[in-house]
Amino acid sequence: MVTCPSGHESASEDFCDVCGFMIGAMAGPGGAPAGSGPDPVRGGECPRCGASRAGQFCEVCGYDFSAGGLEPPPTTRVERMPAPPMPAPPAPAPPAMPRGRPAEPGPMQSPMQPGPPAGAAWTAVVTADRAYYDSVLATGGPDVGTITFPVYCPERRFRLAGTEVRVGRRSAHAGIDPEIDLTGPPADPGVSRLHAVLIKASDGSWSVIDPGSANGTLVNGTEIARNQIVPLRDGDRINLGAWTELKIVREA
């Protein structure tokens, strides 16, 4: 075992196992290393960075305290350059033009037909249609002999509201309560519980659809296909059942 200049017991004979100081360094007065202060290993500050001294080398900048009275090399200050400005994003490329001949100008479009006035009100006027009844009898169906034309059938008017108006006969058992209830009296036996549906379009006009009635639906004398939406105009006539007519009227 040897003793370093700071008094530490060290098994190594060249550098202290405790403080790392060179044991064979040239000693100054009192056995201390040349150029050192009263305590060459502990005490004092690093002449380079000012950190507390705790061994042969500064723990902050690595300065060698055994170098004696040598002046520390000047510290070079590194100036931080400002970051260059971020480049502006590139402008979007214009849309690619089609190659070849330029497109020929199309024909002038005809002006759109004006739709119904925004404040127009639509009404379904329900009456008994004798001519339609006679055409039903002319078909010679199995039940035509039991169907009679009503002696008296007052005119009924139903204002179309909302986006959907059902036409049929009320049935508490089936849970059907149509907006245009043709239950009667007089009752048309050929009208189904849910016979037709009037549907409002976005422009305020109305259409009719037959969701699958037993005896079909006619618009202006022509039977319409099941589940086909048929647009309606002011004055159009819808026939259903054995003698019922709905006339669609647009009122100001």
Side-chain angles (χ1 to χ4, degrees), residues 68-227:
L70 298 177
E71 290 294 332
T75 303
T76 303
R77 182 177 181 182
V78 180
E79 296 290 340
R80 181 179 296 273
M81 298 297 293
M86 293 294 292
M97 298 298 294
R99 298 184 179 182
R101 296 182 56 189
E104 296 292 337
M108 295 294 293
Q109 299 292 330
S110 59
M112 296 182 62
Q113 296 295 329
W122 294 78
T123 302
V125 182
V126 180
T127 57
D129 186 352
R130 180 70 193 214
Y132 172 63
Y133 168 76
D134 291 341
S135 66
V136 172
L137 292 184
T139 60
D143 299 327
V144 294
T146 62
I147 301 175
T148 58
F149 190 77
V151 177
Y152 173 71
C153 181
E155 179 183 281
R156 289 173 288 177
R157 302 176 72 91
F158 296 87
R159 179 64 58 87
L160 305 185
T163 58
E164 182 178 293
V165 176
R166 296 166 297 175
V167 183
R169 292 188 293 141
R170 183 177 63 254
S171 173
H173 175 73
I176 299 175
D177 189 11
E179 287 74 23
I180 299 181
D181 183 13
L182 303 179
T183 303
D188 187 336
V191 175
S192 300
R193 297 295 183 183
L194 180 59
H195 198 108
V197 180
L198 301 177
I199 302 174
K200 187 176 183 180
S202 58
D203 62 353
S205 62
W206 289 83
S207 302
V208 63
I209 182 173
D210 187 325
S213 65
N215 298 306
T217 303
L218 281 70
V219 175
N220 296 328
T222 302
E223 186 171 2
I224 64 176
R226 180 177 299 181
N227 294 322

